[in-house]
Amino acid sequence: MASVFFGLAVLVCPVAMGLMMAMMMRGQKRGSTSQAQEHADRADIDALRAEIEALKADRTAHTHQQPQP
């Protein structure tokens, strides 16, 4: 019985390694994005940075308006 499990382990290991390698190679092919997508991503990042700056300014304005005891 132990030899059956050992035999399965010996067979499963290379098969699993091959599947992982295939999945990694497939992921690299999909990893390249188009220039239009990069431009859209950049625009989203710029919009989010502007929103963060506006929120920081708003928070700073509110903290300076509160009276100090």
Side-chain angles (χ1 to χ4, degrees):
M1 189 68 165
S3 63
V4 172
F5 289 123
F6 180 71
L8 283 174
V10 169
L11 292 175
V12 168
C13 185
V15 171
M17 183 65 72
L19 286 172
M20 286 189 281
M21 288 175 56
M23 290 172 61
M24 289 173 61
M25 294 297 287
R26 199 169 90 196
Q28 286 180 352
K29 290 179 186 175
R30 262 194 250 157
S32 61
T33 58
S34 67
Q35 193 173 19
Q37 182 64 35
E38 289 177 12
H39 180 68
D41 290 345
R42 189 62 165 154
D44 288 343
I45 291 171
D46 291 340
L48 289 171
R49 285 185 176 151
E51 185 177 351
I52 289 170
E53 291 302 319
L55 290 171
K56 284 180 181 178
D58 188 44
R59 182 180 61 190
T60 303
H62 283 306
T63 57
H64 289 299
Q65 289 178 355
Q66 294 177 354
Q68 303 252 340

